[in-house]
Amino acid sequence: MSAAFANDGALDRAASIYQDHLDCVSDLLFVGNIEECINYFALPLLIRTRTGETLIETRQDMLNDTRQHSESLNGHGVTNYIRLVKQARQLSETLIEGWHETYVLRDATSILPSYQSHMFLRDTGDGVWKVIEAEHELENLRFPLGSVKSKPGSFAETWQGTQGDIRVAHSNAEPLYRAFLDVLNKHQNAANFDGWSSQFQYPLEAHYDATDRVFNEPADMRAFFDAMLDLPIGEKGGVHRAITSADFISADRICGYHETTFEGSDAPAFGPVKSRMILTLTEGRWKCSSVTNSLSSDDAPPEAEFKPSSHLPTMSEIQKRMNKP
């Protein structure tokens, strides 16, 4: 345990757990034990900086990013990588919110101005507390370390407010995501465009196997909706969305995965199509603010005639091809 916790009686349980997590991950990063280090992070993981955010979805992406971080520390001759808890609070038995400050030193010289971070940790049930969301007072998360710029105060206004967190009452996002999919199915099977399109938040980002577009208003989605109605479903068929998984990636967002199949009277008419939706809680309602489908086409939407694809691009892949920060 860190020397900062020699007098453990002066610290509450949340701060102790949070600091223990920081110390463990820092030590593993420093010695380059990447495989063990990433076990302390949940997937999907939302990371936010001053200039944007990244959703890490796969273990391989987590390995790559963490390895870059570790190699950068050693490559710049860092002798002290210190992260100290500033404040932490227990939101529930399985959820802790905390803030900490990071110091990156080579002997007594600061390589990077200190910066603060805000993280949520969840007890996964096996005694391991994992990061489920993080934001850092940084310009970006690019490596090597010399490219990283700290921006103290970036989230000062956001961090001042005390916000309710739906994850206190709902530890499992799957029932909410499943209920959302059921509503989509109901409206789609009833050919109710208004009801179906009202489940989305505009402008809506839509991504496919290799293309991307933005729907600015419901009318922009009409051609896509009509194309689904034109599939040879038959009287006894219909659209079916089967949930794969869903997780909270912030207090007001869910990242969910499912497969969509258009069932014919006797056999599947189209699909399955792998999908990922980001749901955002807007004025008390969950709406889809981003959707990705494993569909490919030789043409650009909306004129495209889509075909199922085996590839569902990750949000990291999409950011790179769209040249987002």
Side-chain angles (χ1 to χ4, degrees):
M1 179 173 289
S2 168
F5 287 91
N7 183 13
D8 203 34
L11 298 165
D12 62 20
R13 178 174 181 266
S16 295
I17 291 173
Y18 193 92
Q19 185 65 56
D20 283 347
H21 173 91
L22 295 176
D23 292 343
C24 183
V25 170
S26 295
D27 290 345
L28 291 170
L29 271 173
F30 218 69
V31 300
N33 189 345
I34 307 306
E35 290 281 351
E36 178 65 20
C37 184
I38 67 171
N39 290 333
Y40 291 86
F41 297 86
L43 295 175
L45 171 66
L46 183 69
I47 302 177
R48 190 179 298 109
T49 64
R50 191 187 73 85
T51 54
E53 58 186 35
T54 298
L55 184 66
I56 301 178
E57 299 173 77
T58 69
R59 183 176 176 85
Q60 188 58 54
D61 282 347
M62 194 74 220
L63 278 169
N64 293 341
D65 286 1
T66 308
R67 182 174 291 109
Q68 280 188 316
H69 190 174
S70 177
E71 290 176 351
S72 183
L73 291 175
N74 288 291
H76 281 77
V78 173
T79 56
N80 300 95
Y81 182 61
I82 304 168
R83 298 189 298 165
L84 298 177
V85 63
K86 306 285 288 185
Q87 179 185 351
R89 57 177 182 160
Q90 190 105 26
L91 300 181
S92 72
E93 281 299 311
T94 59
L95 186 65
I96 287 175
E97 178 184 23
W99 291 260
H100 65 274
E101 188 147 3
T102 299
Y103 303 86
V104 185
L105 308 172
R106 184 190 297 123
D107 296 324
T109 303
S110 177
I111 295 178
L112 183 71
S114 67
Y115 61 91
Q116 292 195 43
S117 299
H118 176 216
M119 297 196 311
F120 288 87
L121 307 181
R122 180 176 291 285
D123 183 355
T124 57
D126 55 3
V128 178
W129 289 83
K130 296 187 178 184
V131 181
I132 59 172
E133 180 188 357
E135 52 190 3
H136 308 287
E137 290 182 334
L138 295 172
E139 184 74 22
N140 52 47
L141 283 175
R142 303 185 195 282
F143 294 97
L145 194 59
S147 301
V148 179
K149 297 180 181 179
S150 62
K151 289 290 179 180
S154 301
F155 296 102
E157 185 174 341
T158 303
W159 292 349
Q160 281 179 356
T162 300
Q163 301 178 354
D165 198 308
I166 194 171
R167 292 171 292 192
V168 174
H170 296 271
S171 60
N172 185 359
E174 290 191 8
L176 295 172
Y177 192 74
R178 185 177 290 107
F180 181 86
L181 297 182
D182 288 345
V183 172
L184 278 186
N185 292 341
K186 180 186 72 173
H187 290 308
Q188 198 164 340
N189 287 325
N192 180 359
F193 174 74
D194 291 339
W196 178 85
S197 61
S198 70
Q199 305 307 307
F200 298 90
Q201 179 176 293
Y202 303 92
L204 170 71
E205 289 192 357
H207 310 286
Y208 309 98
D209 180 302
T211 57
D212 311 280
R213 73 162 301 181
V214 175
F215 295 105
N216 291 301
E217 58 183 359
D220 294 341
M221 301 183 72
R222 185 80 218 201
F224 187 80
F225 183 79
D226 289 344
M228 291 188 289
L229 294 182
D230 288 340
L231 292 171
I233 292 176
E235 293 183 3
K236 297 182 180 179
V239 63
H240 176 68
R241 292 176 171 90
I243 186 173
T244 305
S245 65
D247 295 278
F248 291 106
I249 56 174
S250 72
D252 62 354
R253 276 186 286 179
I254 292 172
C255 176
Y257 302 85
H258 63 275
E259 287 194 353
T260 302
T261 304
F262 293 84
E263 301 287 351
S265 297
D266 301 311
F270 190 85
V273 176
K274 298 175 183 177
S275 299
R276 174 186 56 249
M277 284 184 174
I278 306 296
L279 306 187
T280 301
L281 188 59
T282 305
E283 297 180 350
R285 283 187 59 195
W286 290 99
K287 291 190 175 185
C288 176
S289 56
S290 172
V291 57
T292 306
N293 294 312
S294 62
L295 293 170
S296 64
S297 173
D298 295 330
D299 301 314
E303 294 80 9
E305 182 177 343
F306 287 111
K307 301 178 289 291
S309 167
S310 61
H311 179 56
L312 182 71
T314 65
M315 291 304 292
S316 293
E317 289 178 88
I318 291 168
Q319 281 185 318
K320 288 176 182 177
R321 77 188 186 197
M322 295 181 71
N323 296 317
K324 287 188 174 184

